[in-house]
CSV table of all heavy atoms in Angstrom, one decimal:
chain,number,residue,atom,x,y,z
H,365,TYR,N,27.5,-30.7,-10.2
H,365,TYR,CA,27.8,-29.5,-9.7
H,365,TYR,C,27.4,-28.4,-10.6
H,365,TYR,O,27.6,-28.3,-11.8
H,365,TYR,CB,29.4,-29.4,-9.5
H,365,TYR,CG,30.0,-30.3,-8.4
H,365,TYR,CD1,30.4,-31.5,-8.9
H,365,TYR,CD2,29.9,-30.0,-7.1
H,365,TYR,CE1,30.9,-32.5,-8.0
H,365,TYR,CE2,30.4,-30.9,-6.2
H,365,TYR,CZ,30.9,-32.2,-6.6
H,365,TYR,OH,31.4,-33.1,-5.7
H,366,LEU,N,26.7,-27.4,-10.1
H,366,LEU,CA,26.2,-26.2,-10.8
H,366,LEU,C,27.3,-25.2,-10.8
H,366,LEU,O,27.5,-24.5,-9.6
H,366,LEU,CB,24.9,-25.7,-10.3
H,366,LEU,CG,24.3,-24.5,-11.1
H,366,LEU,CD1,23.9,-24.9,-12.5
H,366,LEU,CD2,23.0,-24.0,-10.4
H,367,LYS,N,28.2,-25.1,-11.8
H,367,LYS,CA,29.2,-24.2,-11.6
H,367,LYS,C,28.9,-22.7,-12.0
H,367,LYS,O,29.5,-21.8,-11.5
H,367,LYS,CB,30.3,-24.7,-12.7
H,367,LYS,CG,30.9,-26.0,-12.4
H,367,LYS,CD,31.7,-26.0,-11.0
H,367,LYS,CE,32.4,-27.2,-10.8
H,367,LYS,NZ,33.1,-27.2,-9.4
H,368,SER,N,27.9,-22.5,-12.8
H,368,SER,CA,27.4,-21.3,-13.1
H,368,SER,C,26.0,-21.2,-13.7
H,368,SER,O,25.6,-22.2,-14.2
H,368,SER,CB,28.4,-20.6,-14.3
H,368,SER,OG,27.9,-19.3,-14.7
H,369,LEU,N,25.3,-20.2,-13.3
H,369,LEU,CA,23.9,-20.0,-13.7
H,369,LEU,C,23.6,-18.6,-13.8
H,369,LEU,O,23.8,-17.8,-12.9
H,369,LEU,CB,23.0,-20.7,-12.6
H,369,LEU,CG,21.5,-20.6,-12.9
H,369,LEU,CD1,21.2,-21.5,-14.2
H,369,LEU,CD2,20.7,-21.2,-11.8
H,370,THR,N,22.9,-18.3,-15.0
H,370,THR,CA,22.5,-16.9,-15.2
H,370,THR,C,21.0,-16.9,-14.9
H,370,THR,O,20.2,-17.4,-15.7
H,370,THR,CB,22.8,-16.5,-16.6
H,370,THR,OG1,24.2,-16.5,-16.8
H,370,THR,CG2,22.3,-15.1,-16.8
H,371,SER,N,20.6,-16.4,-13.8
H,371,SER,CA,19.2,-16.3,-13.4
H,371,SER,C,18.9,-15.0,-12.6
H,371,SER,O,19.6,-14.7,-11.7
H,371,SER,CB,18.8,-17.5,-12.5
H,371,SER,OG,17.5,-17.4,-12.2
H,372,PRO,N,18.0,-14.3,-13.1
H,372,PRO,CA,17.1,-14.6,-14.2
H,372,PRO,C,17.6,-14.3,-15.5
H,372,PRO,O,18.6,-13.5,-15.6
H,372,PRO,CB,15.8,-13.6,-13.9
H,372,PRO,CG,16.5,-12.4,-13.2
H,372,PRO,CD,17.6,-13.0,-12.4
H,373,ILE,N,17.1,-14.9,-16.6
H,373,ILE,CA,17.5,-14.7,-17.9
H,373,ILE,C,16.5,-13.9,-18.6
H,373,ILE,O,15.3,-14.2,-18.4
H,373,ILE,CB,17.8,-16.1,-18.6
H,373,ILE,CG1,18.1,-15.9,-20.1
H,373,ILE,CG2,16.6,-17.0,-18.5
H,373,ILE,CD1,18.5,-17.2,-20.8
H,374,PRO,N,16.8,-13.0,-19.4
H,374,PRO,CA,15.8,-12.1,-20.1
H,374,PRO,C,15.0,-13.0,-21.2
H,374,PRO,O,15.5,-13.9,-21.8
H,374,PRO,CB,16.6,-11.1,-20.8
H,374,PRO,CG,18.0,-11.6,-20.9
H,374,PRO,CD,18.1,-12.5,-19.7
H,375,GLU,N,13.7,-12.7,-21.2
H,375,GLU,CA,12.8,-13.5,-22.0
H,375,GLU,C,13.1,-13.3,-23.5
H,375,GLU,O,12.7,-14.1,-24.3
H,375,GLU,CB,11.4,-13.1,-21.7
H,375,GLU,CG,11.0,-11.8,-22.0
H,375,GLU,CD,9.5,-11.5,-21.7
H,375,GLU,OE1,8.7,-12.3,-22.0
H,375,GLU,OE2,9.1,-10.4,-21.2
H,376,ASN,N,13.9,-12.3,-23.8
H,376,ASN,CA,14.2,-12.1,-25.3
H,376,ASN,C,15.5,-12.6,-25.7
H,376,ASN,O,16.0,-12.4,-26.7
H,376,ASN,CB,14.2,-10.6,-25.6
H,376,ASN,CG,15.1,-9.8,-24.8
H,376,ASN,OD1,15.8,-10.3,-24.0
H,376,ASN,ND2,15.4,-8.5,-25.2
H,377,ALA,N,16.0,-13.5,-24.9
H,377,ALA,CA,17.3,-14.2,-25.1
H,377,ALA,C,17.1,-15.0,-26.4
H,377,ALA,O,16.2,-15.8,-26.5
H,377,ALA,CB,17.8,-15.1,-23.9
H,378,SER,N,18.0,-15.0,-27.2
H,378,SER,CA,18.0,-15.7,-28.5
H,378,SER,C,18.3,-17.2,-28.3
H,378,SER,O,19.0,-17.6,-27.3
H,378,SER,CB,19.0,-15.2,-29.5
H,378,SER,OG,20.2,-15.2,-29.0
H,379,PRO,N,17.6,-18.1,-29.0
H,379,PRO,CA,17.9,-19.5,-28.9
H,379,PRO,C,19.5,-19.8,-29.0
H,379,PRO,O,20.1,-19.3,-29.9
H,379,PRO,CB,17.2,-20.2,-30.2
H,379,PRO,CG,16.1,-19.2,-30.4
H,379,PRO,CD,16.7,-17.8,-30.1
H,380,GLY,N,19.9,-20.7,-28.2
H,380,GLY,CA,21.4,-21.0,-28.2
H,380,GLY,C,22.2,-20.2,-27.1
H,380,GLY,O,23.3,-20.4,-26.9
H,381,THR,N,21.4,-19.4,-26.4
H,381,THR,CA,22.1,-18.6,-25.2
H,381,THR,C,22.5,-19.5,-24.2
H,381,THR,O,21.6,-20.3,-23.7
H,381,THR,CB,21.1,-17.5,-24.7
H,381,THR,OG1,20.8,-16.7,-25.9
H,381,THR,CG2,21.8,-16.6,-23.6
H,382,GLU,N,23.7,-19.4,-23.7
H,382,GLU,CA,24.2,-20.2,-22.6
H,382,GLU,C,23.7,-19.6,-21.2
H,382,GLU,O,24.0,-18.5,-21.0
H,382,GLU,CB,25.7,-20.3,-22.6
H,382,GLU,CG,26.3,-21.2,-21.6
H,382,GLU,CD,27.9,-21.3,-21.6
H,382,GLU,OE1,28.4,-20.3,-21.1
H,382,GLU,OE2,28.3,-22.3,-22.2
H,383,VAL,N,23.0,-20.3,-20.5
H,383,VAL,CA,22.5,-19.8,-19.2
H,383,VAL,C,23.1,-20.5,-18.0
H,383,VAL,O,23.0,-20.0,-16.9
H,383,VAL,CB,20.9,-20.0,-19.1
H,383,VAL,CG1,20.3,-19.3,-20.2
H,383,VAL,CG2,20.6,-21.5,-19.2
H,384,GLY,N,23.8,-21.7,-18.2
H,384,GLY,CA,24.5,-22.3,-17.1
H,384,GLY,C,25.6,-23.3,-17.4
H,384,GLY,O,25.7,-23.6,-18.6
H,385,ILE,N,26.4,-23.6,-16.5
H,385,ILE,CA,27.5,-24.5,-16.8
H,385,ILE,C,27.4,-25.6,-15.7
H,385,ILE,O,27.4,-25.3,-14.6
H,385,ILE,CB,28.9,-23.9,-16.8
H,385,ILE,CG1,29.0,-22.9,-17.9
H,385,ILE,CG2,30.1,-24.9,-16.8
H,385,ILE,CD1,30.3,-22.1,-17.9
H,386,ILE,N,27.3,-26.9,-16.2
H,386,ILE,CA,27.2,-28.0,-15.3
H,386,ILE,C,28.4,-28.8,-15.3
H,386,ILE,O,28.9,-29.1,-16.4
H,386,ILE,CB,26.0,-28.9,-15.7
H,386,ILE,CG1,24.7,-27.9,-15.9
H,386,ILE,CG2,25.7,-30.0,-14.7
H,386,ILE,CD1,24.3,-27.3,-14.6
H,387,ASN,N,28.9,-29.3,-14.1
H,387,ASN,CA,30.0,-30.2,-14.1
H,387,ASN,C,29.6,-31.4,-13.4
H,387,ASN,O,29.0,-31.4,-12.4
H,387,ASN,CB,31.2,-29.6,-13.3
H,387,ASN,CG,32.4,-30.5,-13.2
H,387,ASN,OD1,32.8,-30.7,-12.1
H,387,ASN,ND2,32.8,-31.0,-14.3
Side-chain angles (χ1 to χ4, degrees):
Y365 296 97
L366 183 61
K367 295 297 184 180
S368 176
L369 181 66
T370 303
S371 181
I373 178 174
E375 61 178 323
N376 61 349
S378 58
T381 301
E382 184 180 80
V383 298
I385 298 175
I386 308 299
N387 179 236

